[in-house]
Amino acid sequence: YEVKDKASNISETLTDAIVLDRVTPAGTIKINNDDPYTTSRTVTLTLTQSDATSGPDQMRFKVGASGTWTAWETVADTKTLDLDDTDGSQTVYYEVKDKAGLVSDTLSDSIILDRVVPTGTIQINSDDTYATSRDVTLNLTASDATSGVDQMRFSTDGGSTWTDWEAPAATKSLTLPVGDGTKEVQYQLRDKAGNLAAFTDTI
């Protein structure tokens, strides 16, 4: 910018600059490092932001499509957030704003909140009262409404030692401990979120 007066004297050249930014920022979001399930409402978001022109400035979040956006805050690599108090699939939405005020597309990630332990039953030899052999057959049921049943295992010494985890099944062959008398078998279920439940039967 230059100014000339009526005597034709010209000022020094004056300048100012501005950054033209017409490109919205971008980013990514992962809940709990992309785990499919969580047993806790409190989750950790892993975040990225990028903007080649003015640079990322702020971010905000909401839980669920009908949720309320949090206040804008300074961008960061991680964020701790509470999911809604409802088991099942939940989606966290994320937006980034750059220094020019442009807002990214709405980014999202989903996770299944599962705080309910699986359910099941165990019967030794179809619920017989007595057995004449240490080798018995366990009749089993297992269910989990949220993440689903993942694995099962067994103990015959009150939970001090357990068999290896294995896929759920309707029956299981097992050998009872040495000696006559009442024998207890513990049956433990684990769902895909990691919740545990135990059930027992005696013969």
Side-chain angles (χ1 to χ4, degrees), residues 71-188:
W72 288 105
E73 60 187 278
T74 303
V75 292
D77 294 336
T78 60
K79 169 74 175 178
T80 301
L81 197 70
D82 285 340
L83 302 175
D84 289 335
D85 194 12
T86 305
D87 281 23
S89 181
Q90 297 203 35
T91 301
V92 176
Y93 296 90
Y94 166 52
E95 289 184 345
V96 181
K97 183 165 61 174
D98 66 17
K99 293 171 183 174
L102 298 169
V103 177
S104 68
D105 293 336
T106 300
L107 310 162
S108 66
D109 192 23
S110 297
I111 196 167
I112 294 173
L113 174 61
D114 182 357
R115 297 170 293 177
V116 179
V117 299
T119 59
T121 61
I122 176 174
Q123 292 182 341
I124 306 172
N125 285 355
S126 299
D127 218 18
D128 283 349
T129 306
Y130 302 97
T132 58
S133 170
R134 289 175 58 206
D135 296 324
V136 296
T137 298
L138 310 178
N139 305 103
L140 310 164
T141 66
S143 62
D144 185 82
T146 310
S147 61
V149 177
D150 187 32
Q151 292 181 310
M152 65 180 187
R153 66 178 182 175
F154 304 90
S155 175
T156 57
D157 60 3
S160 296
T161 58
W162 292 87
T163 63
D164 292 335
W165 287 106
E166 59 186 284
T171 60
K172 169 72 175 178
S173 296
L174 197 71
T175 301
L176 299 175
V178 174
D180 288 356
T182 300
K183 305 296 181 181
E184 180 184 79
V185 176
Q186 284 187 286
Y187 166 45
Q188 195 172 63

Side-chain angles (χ1 to χ4, degrees), residues 6 13 26 51 63 66 70 101 127 139 164 173 194 198 202:
K6 293 176 181 177
T13 302
D51 186 81
V63 178
S66 59
T70 62
D127 218 18
N139 305 103
D164 292 335
S173 296
T202 58

